[in-house]
Amino acid sequence: EAAVTQSPRNKVAVTGGKVTLSCNQTNNHNNMYWYRQDTGHGLRLIHYSYGAGSTEKGDIPDGYKASRPSQENFSLILELATPSQTSVYFCASGRDWGSSYEQYFGPGTRLTVL
Amino acid sequence: GQQVQQSPTSLVLQEGENAELQCNFSTSLNSMQWFYQRPGGSLISVFYNPSGTKQSGRLTSTTVIKERRSSLHISSSQITDSGTYLCAMEGAMLSGSFNKLTFGAGTRLAVCP
């Protein structure tokens, strides 16, 4: 069973502050992803990674950076947080066994930017 | 860009009734996945179903790649089935969306006693 954990689970930040969301997975999956979920928009992909040292822009990368220092860890960084970034953030990891592909999600982080 | 349309947007059932949730894709897909989410909860994979029909208990998923659609059938619904069901597609290889999921907006299901 894939295990994806996120920290913190809840975060209140001030506008202009720096926020780092962390994600850890213990199943040696190559691919990791950061999404945000907002009412009316569903889940949208922010950044993703194919392995340690790699980061790629997703569909809505503006205002976010990502870091993948190891196979297990993938961070999402908001250098200058804004109220529009208030959302629930989900991390996911994915395996790719040839043509078989699934994603497993963490519990989510609720971020409020005041 | 690719789009994923889910229907219905919401659904209310009496316990014991069946439900059919639909997902339609605007572009070719390599695979798709159904997820379940409780309010305030995370996404739990219900089916990974790139093609054909899969069944797990009271849930059945059917994906027809050529027609760019997938369905999730819930039989004999229970109150604990309440929540949001999301489908997501992985784009075809070389599409730029390979190994990435695009989500539908979800179907909110409420099962009443």
Side-chain angles (χ1 to χ4, degrees), chain A residues 23 25 30-33 48-49 68 71-72 74 91-93:
Chain A
C23 178
Q25 55 101 359
N30 288 330
N31 303 338
M32 296 187 75
Y33 307 82
Y48 60 103
S49 168
R68 182 87 181 269
Q71 182 81 338
E72 298 79 20
F74 190 38
C91 175
S93 71

Side-chain angles (χ1 to χ4, degrees), chain A residues 33 37 99 101-103 106, chain B residues 33 37 42 48 99-101:
Chain A
Y33 307 82
Q37 186 177 33
S99 61
Y101 177 76
E102 293 182 66
Q103 287 192 18
Chain B
Q33 202 168 349
Q37 185 179 32
S42 185
Y48 170 76
N99 274 2
K100 295 190 291 182
L101 291 181

Side-chain angles (χ1 to χ4, degrees), chain B residues 22-106:
Chain B
Q22 299 288 345
C23 196
N24 290 283
F25 313 106
S26 64
T27 60
S28 299
L29 67 155
N30 187 60
S31 69
M32 65 81 54
Q33 202 168 349
W34 283 94
F35 294 90
Y36 168 72
Q37 185 179 32
R38 285 197 186 281
S42 185
L43 280 77
I44 300 168
S45 181
V46 177
F47 281 111
Y48 170 76
N49 186 11
S51 66
T53 298
K54 290 190 173 183
Q55 183 174 5
S56 177
R58 296 180 294 103
L59 302 181
T60 303
S61 170
T62 300
T63 297
V64 184
I65 293 279
K66 283 193 300 185
E67 297 178 11
R68 298 179 182 175
R69 62 176 176 87
S70 182
S71 64
L72 179 66
H73 182 84
I74 304 172
S75 62
S76 304
S77 62
Q78 299 177 358
I79 294 172
T80 52
D81 293 333
S82 299
T84 299
Y85 292 82
L86 300 110
C87 67
M89 66 166 284
E90 178 200 10
M93 204 175 295
L94 302 180
S95 72
S97 299
F98 187 60
N99 274 2
K100 295 190 291 182
L101 291 181
T102 300
F103 283 81

Side-chain angles (χ1 to χ4, degrees), chain A residues 7-67:
Chain A
S7 63
R9 294 294 311 280
N10 290 280
K11 173 76 177 177
V12 179
V14 296
T15 298
K18 182 177 180 178
V19 177
T20 300
L21 308 182
S22 300
C23 178
N24 177 273
Q25 55 101 359
T26 59
N27 287 282
N28 202 33
H29 290 169
N30 288 330
N31 303 338
M32 296 187 75
Y33 307 82
W34 276 106
Y35 297 87
R36 61 178 286 177
Q37 186 177 33
D38 305 285
T39 303
H41 288 281
L43 272 91
R44 293 179 290 174
L45 181 64
I46 306 170
H47 283 288
Y48 60 103
S49 168
Y50 289 130
S54 94
T55 60
E56 307 287 337
K57 292 181 180 179
D59 299 322
I60 52 164
D62 293 345
Y64 302 93
K65 288 184 180 179
S67 173

